Amino acid sequence: MPDRPPLAPMLPPADGLDDSAWLDVIQKMDEVYSQLVADEVALEEKNAQLEQSQQFIFSLLSAMSDVLVACDAGGRIEETNRALAELTGRDEAALRGSGIAALMADEASRVRIRHVLGTPALQRGGTVLEVELLDGAGQPVPVDFNCTPRLDAAGRRVGLVFVGRPMGELKRAYHQLREAHEALKRTQQQLLHSEKMASLGRLVAGVAHELNNPISFVLGNVHALTRYTERLRQYLGEIHDGRPVAELAPMRRRLRIDHLLADLPSLMEGTLEGAQRTADIVQGLKRFSAADRDERGPVRLNEVVEQAIHWVRKGTAPDFVVHWQPGPDSVVEGAPGPLLQVMLNLIQNAWDAASGAGAKPPTLWITGHLEAGLARLVFRDNGSGIAPEHLGRLFDPFFTTKPVGKGTGLGLSISYGIVEQHGGRLLAGNYTDGGAEFVVELPARG
């Protein structure tokens, strides 16, 4: 507070004024001066607060990564920020007073800006405007503006506020993310197919044995048919040469033509049956090994389990004891190839676990259930079970407890994904009496 000036010396009383009156005047002057000093202090405090507020607003505008444009009702820029100045390559002072439409890179953007400026009933919550600004290098930059009205104390619209973010970097990042996602999808499909091929490779021995029986049967029948053909050729040649009937009878008995003719239907039937059996085996392998085309339809779950048991036992695990207790006939909506792969993986893993633990004999119990629209399959082996530290990582890609060269670490991970894609769940744990237990749950068709 400034020093108080000294009081004027007592003047001689004027006509009609005594000393008390002069004292009252001096006291009033002193009160007025004190009030002036207090008002000055308050004004200085308010100025300091105003400067702080201005500095705060300025720091906010400078720190904004989004561009800001505040314009009047006619579209002339009244305030902006550093982000817009850096984007357009123009000074903030040069931007103030210019028209916002002049910042646009094309006529379509200018039309959109003019439309918003000419819309008096612009919603209070704002509207989104997609435009292209002209950057400092003269290149168009896509910007998504959020446009809101600016009102005065009386509630009248006096201008607009545009806040937007340049979308160029974001769109490039989105494009890169989409490409990475597509690459990941392709890699997942390749891994899925690789795991199919690995499973298929483990079944080659069983397939060879399975194909050997019908093919051997067909070959035997073909050899018999070849001999029969030669006899018929000889007999028909004699007939065509005009040999008398009396001389043909001994030849007919010697070539056993009557037996041959009686045996031909069964030979042909057996050959066709063996060929069809071979075709069925090849078709089954083709369905399993082909890339998944998402061809879905009704699948009988019990048949898939039985087929998987057959392949594993004929292939890598001929000594595997499997107790299969099917539940009610369960039909699920899905792709038979991927579902067969899940069952193959679970049965093969059970064999690996039980045989690796030295179980005598390696055994698997499979039970089927159907309740409340849910088909449930439980796989329990007599192996050593799952270590507690491995339970949380069991379905992670490339995680395996098998020796090097014995597993890819993808079987359970891919099986988990296949079951999940079919709207179900794959659960894992340890059975109370020992051994691992896996549960497949799939929604059953009504």
Side-chain angles (χ1 to χ4, degrees):
M1 180 180 297
D3 294 335
R4 178 177 177 180
L7 295 177
M10 296 292 293
L11 300 175
D15 294 342
L17 293 176
D18 55 12
D19 291 343
S20 61
W22 278 109
L23 288 173
D24 289 340
V25 171
I26 293 173
Q27 184 178 358
K28 292 295 183 182
M29 291 176 62
D30 189 48
E31 291 177 356
V32 170
Y33 182 78
S34 298
Q35 184 62 43
L36 287 174
V37 172
D39 291 343
E40 183 180 356
V41 172
L43 181 61
E44 290 177 353
E45 291 176 351
K46 291 184 181 297
N47 285 335
Q49 293 175 359
L50 181 59
E51 288 179 359
Q52 291 178 356
S53 298
Q54 289 178 333
Q55 184 61 36
F56 179 71
I57 294 173
F58 178 76
S59 64
L60 286 180
L61 294 177
S62 300
M64 285 179 64
S65 59
D66 293 353
V67 297
L68 171 71
V69 181
C71 62
D72 61 16
R76 287 182 297 276
I77 299 175
E78 295 181 334
E79 188 59 72
T80 182
N81 67 342
R82 182 182 300 171
L84 180 65
E86 292 176 351
L87 176 65
T88 59
R90 300 169 62 181
D91 186 74
E92 292 183 48
L95 288 170
R96 295 188 185 96
S98 62
I100 186 174
L103 301 178
M104 301 299 112
D106 55 17
E107 184 60 29
S109 299
R110 286 188 283 272
V111 169
R112 296 189 188 102
I113 288 292
R114 294 191 190 104
H115 176 72
V116 170
L117 291 171
T119 304
L122 191 66
Q123 55 185 351
R124 184 69 178 269
T127 184
V128 176
L129 196 64
E130 294 183 4
V131 298
E132 287 193 346
L133 296 182
L134 203 62
D135 66 7
Q139 299 298 319
V141 177
V143 176
D144 281 359
F145 269 133
N146 184 273
C147 179
T148 54
R150 187 164 55 89
L151 309 178
D152 62 8
R156 295 186 298 269
R157 194 178 87 169
V158 295
L160 297 172
V161 176
F162 297 88
V163 179
R165 173 164 296 181
M167 304 300 292
E169 289 296 331
L170 184 59
K171 288 185 177 180
R172 281 193 290 272
Y174 174 75
H175 180 69
Q176 294 173 354
L177 178 62
R178 184 172 59 183
E179 289 182 342
H181 178 65
E182 291 298 325
L184 178 60
K185 287 170 59 177
R186 289 192 297 271
T187 302
Q188 287 176 332
Q189 289 298 323
Q190 291 169 359
L191 288 175
L192 177 61
H193 195 59
S194 297
E195 176 61 22
K196 281 184 178 181
M197 293 300 99
S199 300
L200 193 63
R202 291 193 294 266
L203 303 177
V204 167
V207 173
H209 176 77
E210 192 75 7
L211 287 173
N212 185 58
N213 289 336
I215 289 176
S216 298
F217 191 62
V218 169
L219 287 174
N221 287 352
V222 169
H223 286 306
L225 287 171
T226 301
R227 294 194 303 271
Y228 287 175
T229 301
E230 179 61 25
R231 294 183 195 176
L232 286 172
R233 187 186 63 78
Q234 294 179 22
Y235 185 68
L236 290 174
E238 295 295 331
I239 294 176
H240 290 159
D241 289 341
R243 185 178 292 271
V245 176
E247 297 180 9
L248 289 175
M251 185 178 187
R252 185 183 184 95
R253 288 192 298 272
R254 178 172 57 82
L255 296 176
R256 305 181 66 188
I257 298 299
D258 294 334
H259 172 75
L260 179 154
L261 293 175
D263 197 28
L264 275 178
S266 62
L267 279 177
M268 296 302 297
E269 183 180 348
T271 302
L272 290 174
E273 181 182 349
Q276 185 60 50
R277 176 61 180 158
T278 303
D280 291 342
I281 295 171
V282 172
Q283 186 63 27
L285 290 175
K286 183 179 178 182
R287 283 197 304 268
F288 176 69
S289 60
D292 188 11
R293 299 181 180 86
D294 290 331
E295 296 175 356
R296 297 197 174 194
V299 179
R300 296 190 178 278
L301 204 56
N302 290 346
E303 294 180 3
V304 175
V305 175
E306 290 166 2
Q307 189 177 3
I309 294 172
H310 174 80
W311 284 121
V312 173
R313 293 184 65 183
K314 288 291 184 181
T316 56
D319 300 326
F320 200 14
V321 178
V322 180
H323 299 285
W324 164 227
Q325 183 180 345
D329 191 16
S330 304
V331 179
V332 300
E333 187 73 22
L339 288 177
L340 176 61
Q341 184 178 0
V342 172
M343 306 308 163
L344 283 169
N345 283 334
L346 293 178
I347 296 172
Q348 182 67 48
N349 283 349
W351 160 258
D352 293 339
S355 59
K360 300 294 183 181
T363 307
L364 173 65
W365 292 266
I366 308 176
T367 56
H369 308 272
L370 179 62
E371 51 188 25
L374 193 67
R376 195 164 181 264
L377 294 170
V378 180
F379 298 76
R380 177 172 64 87
D381 60 55
N382 62 343
S384 57
I386 306 169
E389 64 269 19
H390 295 158
L391 280 172
R393 303 181 56 197
L394 207 58
F395 299 116
D396 291 349
F398 304 108
F399 175 77
T400 180
T401 58
K402 297 178 183 179
V404 176
K406 290 292 186 180
T408 62
L410 291 172
L412 285 178
S413 175
I414 289 176
S415 298
Y416 185 90
I418 291 173
V419 174
E420 193 174 53
Q421 290 169 6
H422 283 73
R425 297 191 305 166
L426 177 58
L427 310 173
N430 288 313
Y431 190 63
T432 53
D433 293 336
E437 183 178 70
F438 288 85
V439 179
V440 177
E441 293 181 348
L442 293 167
R445 292 187 61 173

